[in-house]
């Protein structure tokens, strides 16, 4: 991978902008208000982060342009999903998401080779979608994207499907104070809630072994189907704290049931 390259995907990496902490905070406030220009500026201001991450994959034989584009997709996902109430730096949240996006690409690209034309179509559709969202302040349909770039909606759908891959439930979302939060921590399972345990185990007795806070978290998470983010907001603590308390509570319950 040619790391000495100055221009990647038409972007002069030597002239990428830098944002200070105040600018980042200000821009993110505008993003939350739906300011598409602020969102674009925030993306451009974090491209150096993407560039630094793809250098970790220098041993890869993949084209640096491809890795940069995939990294940018991870960056955009991080911006769209970042919650400032988590009290973590954006980079702390974004780095594992960008790395995860690149690793999935490398993993899938090694097993199923997606043609260059399909990847080009997919990338073109993704960037066109972003441009139309900024222009019209709403998410465009596949048909609108197709009309904009002159490619059939069917071909665009096929191309986008070709570069997608399932996300592991154990994919790290971010790390806060040494505690890694995973995709599975953010999901509420409304079909297989903890009622199934009740049919087989003495949960009511096990839950009596929990303290008041742990009891509340287990009830909200597994009986009411709340996500960790929702629980954190309801009881006024961080999601990382919810994750720690939940894991401890489940361990206490498992120990009791196993005894």
């Amino acid at each position: 991978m040619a790391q000495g390259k100055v221009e990647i995907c038409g972007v002069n990496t030597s002239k990428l902008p830098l944002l200070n902490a105040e600018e980042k905070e200000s821009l993110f406030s505008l993003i939350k208000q739906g300011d598409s220009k602020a969102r674009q500026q925030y993306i451009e201001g974090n491209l150096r982060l993407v560039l630094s991450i793809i250098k970790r994959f220098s041993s890869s034989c993949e084209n640096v342009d491809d890795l940069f584009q995939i990294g940018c997709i991870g960056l955009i996902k991080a911006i769209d999903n970042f919650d400032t109430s988590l009290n973590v730096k954006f980079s702390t949240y974004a780095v594992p998401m960008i790395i995860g996006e690149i690793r999935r690409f490398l993993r899938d690209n090694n097993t199923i080779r997606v043609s260059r034309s399909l990847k080009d179509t997919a990338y073109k559709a993704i960037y066109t979608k972003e441009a139309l969202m900024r222009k019209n302040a709403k998410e465009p349909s596949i048909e609108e994207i197709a009309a904009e770039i002159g490619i059939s909606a069917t071909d665009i759908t096929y191309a986008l499907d070709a570069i997608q891959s399932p996300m592991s439930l154990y994919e790290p979302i971010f790390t806060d104070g040494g505690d890694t939060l995973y995709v599975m921590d953010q999901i509420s399972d409304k079909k297989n809630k903890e009622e199934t345990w009740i049919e087989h185990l003495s949960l009511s007795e096990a839950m009596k072994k929990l303290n008041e806070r742990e009891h509340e978290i287990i009830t909200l998470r597994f009986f009411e189907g709340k996500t960790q983010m929702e629980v954190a907001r309801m009881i006024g603590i961080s999601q990382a704290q919810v994750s720690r308390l939940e894991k401890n509570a489940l361990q206490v319950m498992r120990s009791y049931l196993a005894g």
Side-chain angles (χ1 to χ4, degrees):
M1 191 166 75
Q3 290 300 325
K5 189 174 182 179
V6 173
E7 189 171 288
I8 300 178
C9 297
V11 176
N12 187 336
T13 58
S14 66
K15 296 184 178 180
L16 289 175
L18 282 173
L19 299 175
N20 59 40
E22 291 182 0
E23 288 173 326
K24 290 180 179 179
E25 185 176 352
S26 175
L27 285 172
F28 218 91
S29 296
L30 294 174
I31 291 171
K32 290 301 183 183
Q33 297 171 26
D35 191 320
S36 58
K37 290 184 178 180
R39 182 172 180 271
Q40 180 62 24
Q41 189 176 346
Y42 200 88
I43 291 171
E44 293 173 355
N46 281 280
L47 290 181
R48 286 181 182 270
L49 179 62
V50 176
L51 186 63
S52 68
I53 290 172
I54 66 173
K55 290 180 180 179
R56 303 184 187 187
F57 299 89
S58 58
S59 60
S60 168
C61 61
E62 292 296 332
N63 185 283
V64 67
D65 286 355
D66 285 347
L67 294 183
F68 188 72
Q69 289 184 80
I70 294 297
C72 287
I73 292 173
L75 171 64
I76 291 169
K77 288 182 178 179
I79 291 172
D80 290 344
N81 291 284
F82 182 57
D83 186 344
T84 53
S85 68
L86 296 175
N87 294 320
V88 297
K89 292 182 178 179
F90 173 74
S91 59
T92 302
Y93 179 83
V95 166
M97 292 196 74
I98 296 171
I99 291 175
E101 200 74 26
I102 294 173
R103 282 178 175 167
R104 284 194 298 277
F105 167 76
L106 293 175
R107 180 193 64 207
D108 295 341
N109 214 35
N110 284 334
T111 55
I112 302 175
R113 303 298 296 188
V114 179
S115 72
R116 183 72 195 187
S117 61
L118 269 180
K119 288 191 287 187
D120 287 345
T121 297
Y123 296 147
K124 188 179 294 184
I126 290 169
Y127 291 128
T128 300
K129 176 184 176 181
E130 293 297 323
L132 289 174
M133 286 180 66
R134 292 194 299 272
K135 179 181 177 181
N136 302 322
K138 67 181 183 69
E139 185 168 347
S141 66
I142 291 293
E143 289 73 20
E144 290 172 327
I145 296 173
E148 184 73 16
I149 61 180
I151 299 175
S152 74
T154 300
D155 287 346
I156 290 175
T157 300
Y158 183 71
L160 291 173
D161 286 343
I163 66 169
Q164 294 303 310
S165 61
M167 177 179 282
S168 168
L169 289 176
Y170 295 94
E171 187 75 43
I173 300 300
F174 69 94
T175 300
D176 182 15
D179 294 293
T180 301
L181 299 183
Y182 300 91
V183 171
M184 65 181 297
D185 294 329
Q186 314 242 352
I187 298 174
S188 63
D189 186 350
K190 301 193 177 190
K191 181 179 179 182
N192 298 302
K193 287 191 263 186
E194 226 50 13
E195 283 89 342
T196 55
W197 282 26
I198 299 176
E199 297 174 3
H200 305 288
L201 302 170
S202 302
L203 273 186
S204 58
E205 291 301 315
M207 290 187 67
K208 290 179 182 178
K209 304 299 179 181
L210 306 178
N211 61 39
E212 183 177 350
R213 175 57 59 82
E214 291 171 341
H215 192 286
E216 182 180 16
I217 289 173
I218 294 299
T219 299
L220 291 171
R221 280 282 286 145
F222 299 109
F223 289 90
E224 298 185 18
K226 304 294 185 183
T227 65
Q228 287 191 350
M229 182 70 74
E230 291 171 329
V231 173
R233 289 172 178 166
M234 291 175 71
I235 64 179
I237 61 177
S238 72
Q239 186 177 7
Q241 288 175 299
V242 171
S243 179
R244 287 194 293 271
L245 289 169
E246 177 185 315
K247 288 179 174 65
N248 181 69
L250 290 175
Q251 183 58 49
V252 170
M253 293 171 68
R254 289 191 190 102
S255 297
Y256 171 80
L257 293 168

